[in-house]
Amino acid sequence: MVKTIVSLILVALILVAGAIYETNFIKKQFSEFDHVLEVLYDKVDEQTATIEDVYAVQKNWLNKKKSLHIFIPHTEIKEVDLWLSESATLVRDKQWEDAISKIEVLLELSEQIPKTFNLRIENVL
């Protein structure tokens, strides 16, 4: 009986520790990505961005999504991929207003996706 209770407590502690690690890891990844997006946003807003700037953001995202695939749904990753691709095309074609709106969506995604992994009751149930 005591072994069972101890085992259950250990499993619960491991699950909580894993959830805390996951939350912190995802927040860190998206915080770093958000910073890169803000730099791109400023360049697009000033109409000085180049396709290479967007490719640099895409490369940053590709590095992050390798490990994010473990934690977040593939549909959310694919959504960021698609918005980035559209942004690249719009920056290449110098369609600044459309590009800025796509990057604004990316900024919102980079803020909202980590929130779905917070240790809060609505995310657990």
Side-chain angles (χ1 to χ4, degrees):
M1 179 73 169
V2 173
K3 287 182 183 180
T4 304
I5 293 172
V6 170
S7 296
L8 288 174
I9 291 171
L10 284 175
V11 168
L13 288 174
I14 290 170
L15 287 174
V16 169
I20 291 169
Y21 173 79
E22 174 191 55
T23 300
N24 290 334
F25 179 80
I26 291 171
K27 280 183 184 177
K28 181 178 181 245
Q29 296 301 309
F30 275 98
S31 174
E32 292 170 0
F33 182 61
D34 191 58
H35 177 70
V36 173
L37 281 174
E38 287 173 1
V39 171
L40 179 63
Y41 180 91
D42 291 341
K43 286 185 174 188
V44 171
D45 193 38
E46 296 166 357
Q47 298 182 359
T48 59
T50 64
I51 191 70
E52 287 79 22
D53 294 325
V54 183
Y55 287 159
V57 173
Q58 282 181 319
K59 183 177 180 182
N60 179 279
W61 173 247
L62 289 173
N63 289 334
K64 295 198 176 311
K65 82 176 192 176
K66 288 177 186 177
S67 55
L68 286 172
H69 269 293
I70 299 167
F71 299 108
I72 67 175
H74 299 310
T75 54
E76 291 182 359
I77 289 174
K78 189 71 167 173
E79 194 170 352
V80 173
D81 289 340
L82 292 173
W83 286 102
L84 270 173
S85 296
E86 288 181 31
S87 298
T89 301
L90 293 168
V91 167
R92 183 193 66 210
D93 296 342
K94 299 188 186 313
Q95 296 178 4
W96 304 115
E97 286 183 31
D98 292 336
I100 203 90
S101 67
K102 301 294 181 185
I103 296 167
E104 285 173 350
V105 171
L106 283 164
L107 285 165
E108 185 66 22
L109 285 172
S110 87
E111 179 184 330
Q112 295 302 320
I113 291 173
K115 287 182 181 178
T116 61
F117 296 91
N118 284 343
L119 285 175
R120 295 172 36 176
I121 192 69
E122 61 265 18
N123 292 341
V124 175
L125 298 177

